[in-house]
Amino acid sequence: MLKRSPLGAAAGARNNEVTIQIATDGEPNSMGEVKPVYLTSYPRWVEEAVTSGREFVAAMSVQPMLNAIVKLPYDDRTKFIKPTDRLCDHGKIFNISEVKNENNANEKMALWCIGVG
């Protein structure tokens, strides 16, 4: 069931709640690789626009890829979002490929995301 923004009409196009997950370094595995561990940080109401979807062949299997641009208000937390972080949207995980301060106005952040599952 889709959650409605508690901001009502004031939310404008921000009608989807996502969770920002912050990447931290995990423990090295047996090969010495350090993979990120994601900590659920905070929920945010966002404006989400799917820009394209496509499939590509990788390792002899078809892999879906969904691109989306997610816009959220600029604030003391969102200004620190990095491309190593990710979003969780109702169970779907999106890696953040790029973070932009829209128009350098410190009003809105635009996150370019790639779906991973």
Side-chain angles (χ1 to χ4, degrees):
M1 180 175 180
L2 184 62
K3 231 176 156 182
R4 297 279 179 207
S5 171
L7 302 173
R14 288 182 278 143
N15 59 4
N16 191 23
E17 186 177 40
V18 300
T19 303
I20 310 293
Q21 295 182 328
I22 306 299
T24 61
D25 287 338
E27 295 294 319
N29 63 16
S30 62
M31 299 183 66
E33 300 171 321
V34 178
K35 299 212 176 193
V37 173
Y38 293 95
L39 304 174
T40 298
S41 183
Y42 49 91
R44 279 292 186 258
W45 287 96
V46 300
E47 171 187 345
E48 184 173 0
V50 176
T51 57
S52 69
R54 63 182 173 161
E55 294 182 343
F56 61 95
V57 177
M60 300 299 288
S61 65
V62 176
Q63 303 291 322
M65 187 165 105
L66 179 65
N67 296 324
I69 298 173
V70 175
K71 295 182 181 183
L72 60 162
Y74 181 95
D75 62 29
D76 288 340
R77 285 182 157 182
T78 59
K79 70 181 179 182
F80 293 111
I81 295 173
K82 305 176 295 302
T84 54
D85 301 333
R86 68 184 188 182
L87 298 179
C88 183
D89 180 5
H90 302 96
K92 295 181 217 160
I93 302 295
F94 289 86
N95 287 333
I96 300 170
S97 64
E98 192 169 342
V99 179
K100 292 186 176 190
N101 180 351
E102 204 168 78
N103 300 325
N104 291 323
N106 294 345
E107 293 177 1
K108 194 181 285 190
M109 299 292 288
L111 311 178
W112 293 53
C113 302
I114 299 172
V116 295

